[in-house]
Amino acid sequence: GVASESFAVEGMTCAACVGRVERALGKVDGVVGASVNLATERASVQYLPGTVSPAELHAAVREAGYEVPQAP
Ligand code: 9UX
């Protein structure tokens, strides 16, 4: 089935940042949906859990130039 992961994304300052993060997530194999909210600074991703892991989703956002803070 499809799993969902929601996590904080920091460093987005304009609306185009949202598109950049959504594109970066959407390119990852196993991602079936991604939406990013600039106001809440959160990404919500639907993915195939056998194909990609939350850590890989976070890494894709970081590689696109944004920050995913570590959970405390
Ligand atoms: Mo807007 Mo975001 O000019 O990396 S795209 S700040």
Side-chain angles (χ1 to χ4, degrees):
V2 175
S4 284
E5 160 91 351
S6 174
F7 56 92
V9 176
E10 294 177 350
M12 299 183 294
T13 56
C14 88
C17 294
V18 169
R20 289 179 175 188
V21 175
E22 288 175 343
R23 267 183 64 90
L25 287 165
K27 280 196 312 186
V28 177
D29 193 36
V31 170
V32 296
S35 65
V36 172
N37 187 306
L38 180 61
T40 61
E41 295 188 289
R42 291 192 74 81
S44 177
V45 187
Q46 289 73 49
Y47 65 99
L48 305 176
T51 305
V52 65
S53 68
E56 290 170 312
L57 300 176
H58 303 170
V61 172
R62 292 187 178 115
E63 284 159 20
Y66 303 91
E67 294 93 54
V68 178
Q70 294 283 357

